[in-house]
Amino acid sequence: MGRVIGGMAEVRSEGAWIHADDGRRFLDFGGYGVFILGHRHPAVVEAVHRQIDTHPLASRVFLEPVAARAAQALAAHTPPGVDFVHFVNSGAEATEAALKLARAHGRTSVITTRRGFHGKTLGALSVTANPTYQTPFQPLLPDVTQVAYDDPADLEQALAAGRDRACVVVEPVQGEGGVRIPRPGYLRQVRALCRVYGALLVVDEIQTGMGRLGTWWGVDAEEVVPDVLLAGKGLSGGVVPIAAMAATAEAYAPFSRDPYLHTSTFGASPIACAAALAAVRAMEEENTVARAAALGLRVLAAVREVCAPYEGGLVREVRGRGLLIGIEFAEEQAVGELLLEMIARGVLVNHSLNSTRVLRLTPPAVVEETALDLFLTTLAEALRSTAERMSG
C-alpha cells in the first residue's frame, strides 16, 4: 500500500490529523478504531510523559499502583460483575488470554463466527475465521467450530455438540467482517444459549468497545453480561498500546488462584496503564461516549445521503452504529479504487480484512465541523471519480 500511494511516511499527528514527510496532512477517518480520542490527546500525552519521568516499567516484584488504578477505572465501566482486569499489550494477546482462561476451566471446544476477527497470533488466528490468514499456519488449535454470525440456531447446534466444554467467542458488531450488525436480541440469545449449555461467553470488544458504538461497550445495548470481555484499541488513548481481558470473579478464578499461569514481562506496564487510565478519565470528563453516539448518527446519515445516487449500482449498502460505519460495494475493485481516491484527496479510511467489499470508517469522536465537511465533500468527489472509472 505504501508503494502504491507514493511511498510517503507519516511523521506527526494531532487530533483528527496525520502529517506525512512530504508536508501534506491527512484527515484520519481510519486508524482501525484506535483513535476514538484522536491522536495525541493532551491529557493522555501528559500522563504518559509524567509516567516516563517517574517509573515507565516495573520490576514485577512489588505491587504496581498505576495498573491497579487503571484497572479500577476500567472496571467502573465494564458490565456489572466483570471486575477482574488482566492487562496485556495488544488485542491479539487479550484473545490469547481468554482462550487460555477458557482452557483452565476445561472449555477446550471453541466456537467462533464466520468473518469474525480476533487477531493473528496462533491462538487468536485459530478463531479468526478467514482461510487467507489461517491456511499458511495450519494446523492451528484443534476443536474450533465456525458458525454463522447472527444465527442462534447454528450456534445452538454447535453448543449441543460441545456441551459443558465450549467457549464461545463473538463480537457485538463484526468490524473487520465488514461492519456486520446483528439483529436486535442476538447477543441476549447467545448469552442465554451459553447458560443452557454451560459454555463460557467471551465477547470481543477490542474494536467495538471504549465508546466506538456510542455506548461504552457493544453489549450495553442489550444489557448482556459476558463471562469475559476483551478491550483494546481505544483503551490506548491513541498513545501507548494496551489491551485487556476483563472477567467475572467466577471466570477469572483459575488466574486468581495462580497468577503465574499467564504472565507477561511488559503486560500492565506503568507507562501503558498510565495511558489507559488517562484515556478512561478523558472519556468521562469529555462525555466521549455520548459524543460518539450523536456524531455517529450524523455521519451515518450524511454518508448515506452522499452514497444514495450510487445505491443499486456501485454501492450496495451503508450501515453502521456509532462511529463504526461500513460502505459495502457491489465489486471488490471499488474498495481499492475509492480508498486510493480518498487518500489522494487527503482523507484516510480503511478496508475490512474479512470483507473485501466493505470500506470502513472509524472517525474520532473529536472531529470538528470543518473536518466533517471536508470528509463528506471528499467522499462525494471520490465516489464520482470511482464510478466514472469503473463504468468507463
Side-chain angles (χ1 to χ4, degrees):
M1 177 63 74
R3 286 194 298 271
V4 169
I5 63 174
M8 289 176 296
E10 54 188 80
V11 295
R12 187 164 59 87
S13 61
E14 79 283 324
W17 301 91
I18 288 177
H19 299 258
D21 59 351
D22 65 356
R24 287 195 291 166
R25 74 171 187 168
F26 296 82
L27 178 62
D28 188 7
F29 266 47
Y32 296 97
V34 171
F35 301 101
I36 189 72
L37 290 173
H39 293 265
R40 292 197 306 116
H41 187 285
V44 182
V45 170
E46 181 185 0
V48 170
H49 279 169
R50 188 165 57 247
Q51 195 63 45
I52 289 173
D53 290 338
T54 53
H55 189 51
L57 292 177
S59 70
R60 311 313 301 267
V61 174
F62 303 121
L63 297 174
E64 201 290 294
V66 182
R69 289 196 292 269
Q72 186 179 40
L74 183 62
H77 297 285
T78 51
V82 184
D83 297 329
F84 285 71
V85 178
H86 186 106
F87 287 116
V88 293
N89 304 291
S90 68
E93 288 179 56
T95 303
E96 298 285 350
L99 292 172
K100 286 185 68 177
L101 184 60
R103 289 283 182 101
H105 280 280
R107 305 310 203 275
T108 57
S109 173
V110 185
I111 301 171
T112 188
T113 58
R114 298 188 189 101
R115 293 191 186 179
F117 189 94
H118 308 286
K120 290 181 179 174
T121 52
L122 196 65
L125 182 59
S126 300
V127 293
T128 292
N130 187 330
T132 300
Y133 308 124
Q134 288 185 329
T135 300
F137 305 103
Q138 298 281 5
L140 299 170
L141 290 184
D143 203 3
V144 176
T145 302
Q146 297 179 12
V147 300
Y149 188 66
D150 196 18
D151 188 337
D154 199 19
L155 174 61
E156 183 167 18
Q157 185 175 354
L159 284 168
R163 181 183 288 271
D164 296 329
R165 60 184 185 86
C167 167
V168 175
V169 184
V170 67
E171 298 160 275
V173 172
Q174 287 190 327
E176 297 291 351
V179 193
R180 299 186 67 211
I181 303 170
R183 288 165 291 187
Y186 170 64
L187 289 178
R188 280 198 299 270
Q189 289 175 289
V190 171
R191 173 72 279 183
L193 287 169
C194 286
R195 286 201 178 98
V196 168
Y197 290 95
L200 192 77
L201 175 59
V202 177
V203 176
D204 181 346
E205 296 256 20
I206 293 164
Q207 183 166 173
T208 57
M210 297 298 293
R212 176 57 59 184
L213 300 184
T215 50
W216 270 97
W217 311 102
V219 294
D220 292 348
E222 297 186 11
E223 299 182 339
V224 166
V225 178
D227 300 299
V228 178
L229 181 143
L230 309 182
K233 296 189 184 293
L235 184 61
S236 68
V239 177
V240 179
I242 187 170
M245 176 189 72
T248 63
E250 182 179 2
Y252 199 74
F255 286 6
S256 288
R257 287 193 296 269
D258 186 354
Y260 283 99
L261 282 179
H262 187 66
T263 60
S264 166
T265 297
F266 293 119
S269 69
I271 186 174
C273 288
L277 175 58
V280 173
R281 292 285 181 255
M283 290 181 65
E284 292 170 345
E285 292 168 8
E286 297 175 13
N287 209 12
T288 301
V289 175
R291 288 176 64 181
L295 181 61
L297 290 173
R298 289 182 57 204
V299 175
L300 180 60
V303 170
R304 282 177 169 157
E305 183 177 351
V306 171
C307 290
Y310 306 95
E311 288 188 356
L314 182 68
V315 175
R316 182 172 291 174
E317 185 183 16
V318 178
R319 53 183 177 265
R321 183 187 297 173
L323 292 174
L324 179 59
I325 296 168
I327 305 173
E328 183 173 350
F329 292 88
E331 299 180 39
E332 292 180 13
Q333 180 187 349
V335 174
E337 294 281 353
L338 188 65
L339 189 147
L340 293 175
E341 289 284 348
M342 296 287 285
I343 292 174
R345 290 169 168 80
V347 176
L348 303 182
V349 292
N350 292 140
H351 62 290
S352 299
L353 290 175
N354 274 2
S355 187
T356 54
R357 288 192 174 94
V358 177
L359 192 78
R360 190 154 39 98
L361 311 174
T362 53
V366 298
V367 69
E368 298 174 349
E369 287 294 325
T370 54
L372 180 56
D373 290 342
L374 172 65
F375 165 74
L376 294 171
T377 300
T378 302
L379 177 61
E381 293 172 352
L383 278 167
R384 183 165 54 250
S385 180
T386 299
E388 291 172 356
R389 182 180 292 108
M390 293 191 66
S391 62

